[in-house]
Amino acid sequence: MIPVGPGLVPAAGSGGGGRGVVLRPADPPTLLAHGIGSQHDLPISPFYAFAGAFAALFVSFLALGLLWSSSRFRGDRSGSALPAALERIADAPATRTALRGLGLAAALAVLLLLLLGPDDPARNPAPGAVYVLLWVGLVPASLLLGPVWRLINPLRTLYCLYRRLPRARRHAPAPLPARLGQWPAAAGLFAFTWLELAAPDPASTTTLLTALTGYAAVQLALAARFGERWFADADAFEAYSALLARLSPLGRRSDGRLVLRNPFHGLDATPERPGLVGTVCVLLGSTAYDGYSDNPSWINTLQTSPLGRTPTATLGLLASIALVATLYCLCAAVTRLVCGPHPGPLTAFAHSLVPIAIGYLVAHYFSLLVTEGPRTVSMALGTDNAPEPLPPLGPGGLAALQVIAVVTGHVLGVIAAHDRSVRLFPPARAVAGQLPLLALMITYTIGGIGLLLN
């Protein structure tokens, strides 16, 4: 989402780039236009979109069942080591310090803009920095370079500075309860998506300042108790970046070497931890809700609901996440019935949802990043008369990109699930055990493409 000004809501039938808004009374006064603007009436045939998606899923499923009889992915044991000189540069203290300094400087700049800048997202780059450069920009950055937020996280930097104090050194961090897993990160991701999609005035400097400082205070307080490991396990943005980075060609092998690898190996190495399913379902469900929430019928529901816009939007967001999670849990239960008991039926295939989430993120936010991202940077640099954002593709090209992103994510998910299935189950049950997953992916595909073409 990106702010477009008071009383503006997406106009049905406007395609691409957050443009095509019309003045309309709203409650509350400010509504947000979604990442790619309104998605209605995209010039692509629903029949061909659905037929192509089904063909891709079924062909990939049949080909895998016939030709892929043993597991080929080796997790973090795989990868070709990069040159030692490059690894030394990447791991050098000077490099790490520079990246941490860059992240801290950027965070301080956003803080100053929220404190001193105008309360108008058209003139203040802080909302765009948070909702576009951070939230959306982490997608390509993590896919290309790995878990980059871990290297620039300003909260980690502040914690490291705190640990240098004599008083902090006297207290050893408490062990982090294993049962927490990624549940705090899932809760943090839900809080951020609620702020973006359901809060009364998410682009307000007061709202953003309160939310970001509150989040930082909670994270630093818990890190002071549990140590730096808290950020890797429980910081929402580190978990988000790390999940996306599972499909990065750059990674770390189990021996610590920096390697170039098949992204599927990195995806296969996704730790099966408590909260993993919740984290992925928050990503999928919130993106699905974002795609649906610019539907004219839902906008009308928000404006006429007796509960008010924020409670209704909150219930819609929760319902979308719950639906995604329920379908996955039912799929895991049926898989267990077909293939027999398994110690981790929920987490065993959760990694296969990660490429699906990435496909949804690309489909919904590509246009936002390449239009509003440069304008945000232009405003931050003080350039006068920042250019009006223009869609990078025509309506047909944008529609094709969206459908391809969604379908590709599901096909990659089918491949990841098949490899895990032939590793966990006997050959006679491996293919049959994937039928529930195939049904789940078809259901997600119908929903994803339906949101794009609604």
Side-chain angles (χ1 to χ4, degrees):
M1 287 183 137
I2 193 68
V4 294
L8 296 179
V9 296
S14 63
R19 305 186 67 180
V21 290
V22 294
L23 205 57
R24 185 184 302 170
D27 178 23
T30 302
L31 291 179
L32 300 180
H34 293 267
I36 52 173
S38 183
Q39 302 164 7
H40 312 296
D41 301 329
L42 290 177
I44 189 170
S45 166
F47 172 80
Y48 289 116
F50 286 116
F54 291 155
L57 288 173
F58 276 115
V59 169
S60 60
F61 174 77
L62 292 175
L64 290 169
L66 294 173
L67 305 175
W68 198 307
S69 58
S70 61
S71 177
R72 302 183 184 184
F73 302 146
R74 295 179 290 122
D76 57 9
R77 295 172 295 154
S78 68
S80 301
L82 292 173
L86 182 61
E87 184 174 358
R88 282 196 299 269
I89 294 173
D91 292 339
T95 303
R96 299 301 178 98
T97 301
L99 290 173
R100 287 184 173 184
L102 179 64
L104 185 59
L108 292 175
V110 171
L111 180 63
L112 289 176
L113 287 168
L114 291 174
L115 286 170
L116 306 176
D119 194 10
D120 179 2
R123 295 187 295 124
N124 191 331
V130 174
Y131 293 125
V132 181
L133 299 182
L134 173 60
W135 179 245
V136 184
L138 271 179
V139 177
S142 301
L143 286 175
L144 292 174
L145 302 174
V148 292
W149 190 248
R150 184 181 303 166
L151 301 176
I152 63 176
N153 187 349
L155 298 181
R156 272 187 183 267
T157 305
L158 292 175
Y159 173 79
C160 291
L161 295 175
Y162 160 76
R163 289 296 299 176
R164 293 183 179 182
L165 299 176
R167 181 180 178 182
R169 293 177 181 175
R170 291 196 294 265
H171 299 282
L176 191 62
R179 65 180 180 275
L180 277 181
Q182 288 188 330
W183 283 114
L189 283 172
F190 173 78
F192 180 82
T193 54
W194 178 88
L195 174 69
E196 181 192 12
L197 302 172
D201 196 3
S204 162
T205 55
T206 302
T207 300
L208 263 178
L209 185 62
T210 302
L212 294 179
T213 54
Y215 179 80
V218 170
Q219 288 289 315
L220 290 172
L222 290 168
R225 174 172 175 77
F226 295 111
E228 191 173 5
R229 184 185 170 189
W230 171 262
F231 297 111
D233 292 338
D235 179 73
F237 298 102
E238 281 208 14
Y240 174 57
S241 177
L243 267 182
L244 300 174
R246 289 294 167 186
L247 277 171
S248 171
L250 293 176
R252 293 281 179 176
R253 213 163 49 193
S254 55
D255 60 3
R257 290 298 304 273
L258 185 65
V259 297
L260 192 65
R261 67 189 181 188
N262 180 339
F264 278 111
H265 293 300
L267 182 63
D268 187 66
T270 304
E272 297 181 28
R273 306 181 56 234
L276 173 62
V277 174
T279 302
V280 180
C281 287
V282 168
L283 285 177
L284 277 171
S286 61
T287 308
Y289 174 77
D290 191 7
Y292 178 72
S293 60
D294 73 338
N295 187 291
S297 63
W298 181 248
I299 293 173
N300 184 62
T301 299
L302 292 177
Q303 293 176 340
T304 60
S305 172
L307 296 176
R309 177 188 174 276
T310 296
T312 304
T314 301
L315 290 175
L317 178 60
L318 285 170
S320 181
I321 295 171
L323 178 61
V324 170
T326 299
L327 290 175
Y328 177 76
C329 291
L330 288 174
C331 171
V334 175
T335 299
R336 189 171 184 177
L337 288 175
V338 173
C339 297
H342 184 270
L346 285 178
T347 57
F349 295 95
H351 70 300
S352 67
L353 299 183
V354 175
I356 299 174
I358 292 174
Y360 279 27
L361 289 167
V362 171
H364 282 271
Y365 298 125
F366 165 79
S367 183
L368 172 66
L369 180 63
V370 297
T371 55
E372 295 295 339
R375 189 167 75 165
T376 298
V377 173
S378 178
M379 280 194 292
L381 296 176
T383 303
D384 293 331
N385 301 319
E388 188 73 16
L390 296 174
L393 299 172
L398 181 59
L401 173 67
Q402 292 170 334
V403 173
I404 290 171
V406 170
V407 174
T408 300
H410 285 83
V411 171
L412 297 181
V414 168
I415 295 172
H418 177 83
D419 188 86
R420 183 64 57 87
S421 182
V422 296
R423 180 190 307 169
L424 295 178
F425 304 123
R429 296 182 179 181
V431 175
Q434 293 175 67
L435 292 175
L437 283 167
L438 178 63
L440 176 70
M441 306 248 176
I442 290 174
T443 303
Y444 284 168
T445 302
I446 292 172
I449 296 179
L451 290 175
L452 295 175
L453 302 176
N454 60 30

